[in-house]
Amino acid sequence: MSWQPQYRCSKYRHVFGKPANKESCYDCVPITRSVQDNHFCAVNPIFIAVVTECAGGGAFLVIPIQQSGKLDPHHPKVCGHRGNVLDIKWNPFNDYVIASCSEDATVKIWDIPKHLLNKNLTNPSKELLGHTRRVGLIEWHPTASNIIFSTGYDYKIMIWNIDSDDPVIYSPVRTIECHKDVILSMSFNTDGSLLATSCKDRIIRVIDPRQGTIIQESNCKIHKASKVLFLGNMKMLLSSGTSRWNNRQVALWDQNDLSVPLQQEDLDGSSGLIFPFYDCDTNMLYIVGKGDGNIRYYEVCPQKPYFQYLNEYRSSLPQKGIGALPKRGVNVSTCEVFRFYKLVTIKSLIEPVSMIVPRRSESYQDDIYPMTAGTQPALTAHEWLSGINRDPVLISLKPGSTPAPYQVEETKEEPRFPIKEPKEVHELKMPTRTLWEIEYKTEIIREDRSNKKALEKHQDTKQAMSNGFDISESPPPKTENELLQMFYKQQEEIRRLREQINQRDVQIKQLELEIKNKRNSTASY
């Protein structure tokens, strides 16, 4: 019998939830009052999308993530549906494309302009028509571009390929018809080759989406599943629902054997729905209850006891829905590993909650930020439909790092070149230059530099009141977005000028060294 330590070592034992201050929340947001069991919120590093109340059809808001504070009551909406919007999802490979489904039995794809919305958006870029009843769920494929799944109250799952020029698509590329009731949730494994679903008949199914066949099916009567989730590469499923005695419960399953759950964890006796969120980078599981104010989080292990309870974030503000920010949008400088956006209906408020690993150092922590999924698709729609599977393209969250594919190419090409070869550029000899030519060129560079400094000083004194911004050429920024763009342009110009000055300094030193060498050589003769 092997000895096991009493205490388990973990980097995430002391993770705590930190709510945003009032200035960083989003106030006066008309959140929907629909009773649909969905998140009603979708987040990416640029925008927050929230389903809102709207008379005469369905609509949702798209708010820039930096635009916190009180929302303008006349903020533009995306309002092209004829019925209530039931679900919204951002494209994982394009932060300016979002999909929505509605009670009008349609799925619409919207292109959000990069200059932000200044009026209501009513014309979608794509419209998918195929369901006969209202559409309740949509999911983008995790690795293939332009593939989206939709399911409705007609008990069908439809697979759409939106990589076409047609504004209206009437027929999906495939239809899955193996369910006998309303589908409550859908989840993909890491490479998108398997699809797990939970149904109103309380049965969990693992499906091959390209063939439309059932691979595994649960027949457990002691757990009534409402939501199901793939746990990354662990080859396990997690379901949330109720037990035989109507207690809220989560269960862990082997994806290759759904006859009996591996582990069951009773939570409490409340009646609200449970939304599970899983972070495959940290193996942390977050349990969010609809109508609750708290967020429980666990660490999932591949061996028993599987669930390791970490802590619980508590709040007096109940959430109607919740959105999760992709890992590539977290703030690594504060050791943030996850971020939620709570929809608080009673206060018309969106409250960000950050999950933080306490660290004293302010530098980048490699051990809590492994490579994560980026915005580059691993497959095209045609490749995935033809049967190819690939894992997601990973990126590093370290500031200044490049995407993984480019790093791989660099590592392949690095051994071909000697390490010290770039230094030879500054050591090139010019035997054809005379001493007079070198001194003359040095004087020209110095004079040019002094004239440039005098011109910059004159420009600064001339435009001191406008902070270096010529009002006669272009009007000053009016919005916060224009101000940020102007600021970034100025920073880029400053960086470019500094690089030019550094290059001039290097050239001057190089020419001075050549002058010294010439003088020494002539003195020796």
Side-chain angles (χ1 to χ4, degrees), residues 55-247:
F60 60 93
L61 295 168
V62 176
I63 308 170
I65 204 165
Q66 302 295 337
Q67 188 180 325
S68 57
K70 188 175 181 180
L71 185 70
D72 185 2
H74 301 291
H75 187 85
K77 299 181 179 66
V78 181
C79 49
H81 285 285
R82 297 187 300 274
N84 292 331
V85 175
L86 300 181
D87 196 15
I88 48 177
K89 291 288 182 357
W90 287 103
N91 189 337
F93 310 117
N94 190 340
D95 290 336
Y96 293 91
V97 174
I98 188 171
S100 63
C101 62
S102 168
E103 291 181 349
D104 60 7
T106 64
V107 178
K108 297 180 187 289
I109 313 297
W110 308 87
D111 289 336
I112 306 300
K114 294 188 177 181
H115 59 271
L116 308 182
L117 292 173
N118 52 17
K119 62 179 182 179
N120 289 345
L121 184 61
T122 58
N123 296 321
S125 60
K126 293 282 190 300
E127 189 171 3
L128 314 180
L129 304 177
H131 289 279
T132 57
R133 299 183 65 184
R134 59 180 178 175
V135 185
L137 285 172
I138 48 176
E139 286 288 345
W140 293 90
H141 194 274
T143 59
S145 61
N146 297 318
I147 293 291
I148 187 170
F149 285 57
S150 66
T151 178
Y153 282 67
D154 52 4
Y155 312 158
K156 297 178 182 178
I157 298 177
M158 295 188 177
I159 307 174
W160 305 87
N161 180 10
I162 62 173
D163 189 12
S164 65
D165 297 331
D166 299 331
V168 181
I169 301 176
Y170 293 96
S171 58
V173 293
R174 192 147 296 126
T175 302
I176 302 173
E177 301 182 14
C178 60
H179 296 84
K180 301 178 182 178
D181 212 327
V182 178
I183 300 163
L184 301 178
S185 68
M186 296 187 293
S187 177
F188 289 97
N189 63 343
T190 304
D191 60 2
S193 59
L194 296 177
L195 175 69
T197 64
S198 62
C199 188
K200 205 170 182 179
D201 57 8
R202 307 302 183 183
I203 296 177
I204 300 173
R205 296 173 176 87
V206 177
I207 303 169
D208 184 349
R210 282 171 291 217
Q211 301 296 328
T213 56
I214 298 176
I215 300 175
Q216 287 288 330
E217 190 175 28
S218 69
N219 55 3
C220 182
K221 304 298 182 182
I222 60 176
H223 176 76
K224 301 176 182 178
S226 57
K227 300 289 182 182
V228 67
L229 195 65
F230 265 105
L231 299 184
N233 291 321
M234 300 180 71
K235 294 187 177 180
M236 290 192 292
L237 291 170
L238 180 113
S239 64
S240 64
T242 57
S243 66
R244 183 182 296 173
W245 297 276
N246 287 332
N247 292 326

